[in-house]
């Protein structure tokens, strides 16, 4: 999820925010995704999201 897709994460984060999703909801979504993509990738995605704020 993260290694080749950092620009995708940023793009989708911008779209989510434009559509009214708040920071807590985004973090909750990434936490739920960790079950499917693995904790290291989810943690990397959270790092990207936190660096955007």
């Amino acid at each position: 999820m993260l290694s080749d897709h950092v620009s995708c994460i940023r793009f989708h984060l911008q779209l989510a925010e434009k559509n009214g999703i708040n920071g807590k909801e985004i973090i909750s979504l990434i936490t739920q995704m960790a079950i499917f993509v693995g904790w290291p990738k989810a943690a990397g995605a959270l790092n990207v999201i936190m660096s955007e704020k």
Side-chain angles (χ1 to χ4, degrees):
M1 181 167 117
L2 182 66
S3 59
D4 298 327
H5 305 299
V6 172
S7 62
C8 289
I9 292 170
R10 290 184 177 127
F11 172 76
H12 288 286
L13 176 61
Q14 290 171 352
L15 284 178
E17 289 175 338
K18 284 182 182 179
N19 285 295
I21 295 177
N22 65 39
K24 285 185 178 182
E25 292 170 321
I26 291 171
I27 291 171
S28 177
L29 174 65
I30 297 296
T31 302
Q32 291 296 315
M33 288 174 49
I35 296 166
F36 301 100
V37 300
W39 287 105
K41 289 181 181 179
L46 282 173
N47 286 333
V48 170
I49 290 169
M50 299 308 282
S51 71
E52 295 290 318
K53 298 293 174 189

